[in-house]
Amino acid sequence: MIQRAMGFATYYSLMLFLVLLPLLAIAQTTNNGRIDVNASLIAADNTSYWLSPSKEFAFGFHRPENEDRFLLSIWFEQIPEKTVVWWSYEKETEFSVLVEAGSKVVLTTSGLVLRDPQGEERWRSVLNTGQVDYAVMEDTGNMVLVGPNSDQVLWRSFDNPSDTLLPTQEMGFQGQLFSRKKENDFSLGKFQLHLFDNGTLTINVINLPTRYIHGGPYYSSDDNNPNASNSGVGLIFDKSGDVYMLRKNGDKSPIGSGSKLPIQSSDYYQRVTLDVDGVFAQYYYPKKSNGNWSTAWLQPINICSWTSPIGSGACGFNSICSINDKTGRPNCECAPGFFLIDPNDPYGGCIRDDELNYCQKDAFELETRKNINWPLADYERYGVSYTEIECKDSCRDDCMCVVAIYNADGSCFKKRLPLSNGRYGSDDRSVSFVKVRKGGRTSPSIPDDEVPNLDKDKKERIFSVTGSILLGTSVFVNLIRLFREIVPIYGGIPPLISLSQYGISCVNQTKSV
C-alpha cells in the first residue's frame, strides 16, 4: 500500500511540476541589481532575466516577432510593449547577434560571454583591461561590469548603444547609433547617427554592408552653429529629459524643437531613438498607467526634402516619399506600376509589377501625376521651349524613358530605372508622366497551388485549438482526481515540490496508512 502511494506521489509530483513549469519562468531577483560572476541566463520562451532594483529595466533574451531565434537585449520591463533599448551586436559589422534556443550567456571574469547550444562563442562584452568582479543592472537601463575596485567600470551598455539613448546617457566622439531594418527586425538599417571628431553630429543614409555614407547628411548639428571654434564635445541626454549638444564653451544646443516633455518628466519613461524611417525622435510613456509612446520632438522636420546623387534617398528605389502632416513622419509608397519588394518593409524599395516592355507602345500608357518628382535621376533634359505634350510624347517614343517630368518653366526631364529620391511636395508644380501597363496596374500573381485554402485553414485551427482545450481540461481534471486520491493516502502533499515557494498555500490532510 505504501509502495503504491509512493508511486502515485512521484507521478503526481512530476505532473504537477510540468503544470507549474511556466510559472518558473520568472525574473531572477538580484541584490540591488547585482549579478555575481558565473551567473547565467538561457535563451528560451518565458525564460528568466536580470532586473534593475526598480524593476523598470530587464536584461535577458528577447525573441523578436516572427523570429525563432533570440536576441540578448535590455528592455523596459514595466510596459506591455517591452520596448527594446539595447541589443548585442558584432562590433565590426554592427550586425545583431541572433541565437538559437538553448544558447547561454554567462557573466565571467572576462565579461559577458554568449555561446550557442554547440558551445561556439557568438558575442562577448570586450574589456580593455581588468577582470570582472560583478555586474550591475542599473535603474537607468545601463548594464555595468565592475572590477575588484567598486569604482572600476570595465564595460557599460551605455558605451555601446544600438539605436536608442536613455536619460543620463552621453555619446562622445565617434559614438554612433544605427537604425533597425524593420520594427521587429534588428538587422542593421540604412540610417546612421554619428558624432565626428570635429564635434559635428550628423544623421546619414549609409550603404549596406560597407556603411559608406551616401551624399551629405540630412541632419547636421552645425546647421545651428556657424561658429566652428565652438564645436560640440558630446551628445547629452540628461536626467531631466533634455537632449542637446554640449559645446566647448559650455553652451547647450538643443537637438529637438517643437513639442516639450510634460512638466513632471520623472513620471514618464523616456528614450531617444533613431527609428527605422531615419527620424531621430524623443519619446515619453506614462509610468503609472498603460498608454503609448508619445513624441516630444523629431529631427529632421522633413526627411523627404533631402536628396543624394548616390543611393535611393529617404525611401527605397522607385518610391515616393511624403510627410504625414499629423505625425511629421515620412510615408513611402511605390511609384505607379511598382510594388514593394518586401510587403512588410515600406522603406525597402519597389520593383515593377510585371515585365513591361517600354518600347512596345501598345503595351503601356502614361499615367499623369502632379506634385511628384525624382530629382537627380535624369539622363536627358530639354530646354524651356518644350510643351507638356511634347515632353510626354518624347518619353513615349524613348525605350529608355520610364518617367518624364514637365516643369512650369517649360523644361522637360527624362528618367530611367531605378528611380531615386522620389518625393511629393505641394509646392512642386511639376507634372509627371509614368509608364504603366495599359489597362491598369496588376498585382504579383500567386500560383494556384500556392493559394491557401482559407476555409480549410480556419477549420484546422479551430480543431487544433478545441483539441488543445479539451486535452488541457482532461489533464487538469485527472490531476484533481489524482490529488484527491493521493493526499489522503500519502498523508499530505508529496515533498518533491514545495508549493509554498510559488505562493500557493494548501491545507494538508493527514490520515494514517
Coordinates of all heavy atoms in Angstrom, one line a residue, residues 72 131 425 485:
L72 N 20.0 38.9 -27.3 CA 20.4 39.3 -25.9 C 20.1 40.8 -25.9 O 20.7 41.6 -26.7 CB 21.8 39.0 -25.7 CG 22.3 39.3 -24.3 CD1 21.6 38.4 -23.3 CD2 23.9 39.1 -24.2
Q131 N 39.7 42.4 -14.7 CA 38.8 41.3 -14.6 C 37.5 41.7 -13.9 O 37.5 42.6 -13.0 CB 39.5 40.2 -13.8 CG 40.6 39.5 -14.6 CD 41.1 38.2 -13.9 OE1 41.0 38.1 -12.6 NE2 41.5 37.2 -14.6
G425 N 5.5 66.9 -53.1 CA 5.6 68.3 -52.5 C 4.4 69.1 -53.0 O 4.3 69.2 -54.3
E485 N -7.0 11.5 -4.5 CA -6.7 10.1 -4.1 C -5.4 10.1 -3.3 O -5.2 9.4 -2.3 CB -6.6 9.3 -5.3 CG -7.9 9.0 -6.0 CD -7.7 8.2 -7.2 OE1 -6.6 7.6 -7.4 OE2 -8.7 8.0 -8.0

